[in-house]
Amino acid sequence: MPLPHLVLYGKPGCHLCAGLREKLAAIAPGRFTLEERDITTDPQWWQQYQYEIPVLTLVQGDREIPLPRLSPRLSVDQCRHYLTAWLQGY
């Protein structure tokens, strides 16, 4: 069974994006695959996410399901627990 595929929308210089990226990279192996998308490279992404980043979505087929926003104050372990619980619902 393939691993869930998550997409992280962000932009260069965003400290919240960098913090979430680091946490996700630490917990991704064996749990999910992670793709990063820079919203400054696509006008549609920019329009949709410019005031919301970082945004994390779950890819299912040809649709993306936004995950509830993760607090930047969560530890790596708290992120792991939250994502494990959330992904079990899908």
Side-chain angles (χ1 to χ4, degrees):
M1 179 173 210
L3 295 175
H5 183 69
L6 302 180
V7 176
L8 175 61
Y9 289 92
K11 69 178 185 176
C14 170
H15 69 280
L16 295 175
C17 302
L20 183 54
R21 178 186 319 113
E22 290 173 14
K23 291 173 187 173
L24 293 172
I27 61 178
R31 289 184 172 81
F32 55 86
T33 59
L34 181 63
E35 175 185 353
E36 292 184 57
R37 294 185 182 166
D38 178 352
I39 66 167
T40 65
T41 64
D42 184 297
Q44 183 178 356
W45 296 343
W46 178 260
Q47 184 67 30
Q48 188 169 359
Y49 299 121
Q50 65 181 319
Y51 301 115
E52 304 293 323
I53 58 171
V55 173
L56 191 60
T57 65
L58 170 66
V59 176
Q60 285 197 324
D62 61 348
R63 67 186 190 129
E64 291 184 37
I65 302 165
L67 277 70
R69 190 169 182 88
L70 294 171
S71 170
R73 295 181 180 173
L74 293 178
S75 68
V76 172
D77 286 337
Q78 289 171 317
C79 284
R80 179 183 300 112
H81 176 74
Y82 173 83
L83 286 173
T84 300
W86 198 88
L87 292 172
Q88 285 177 352
Y90 284 90

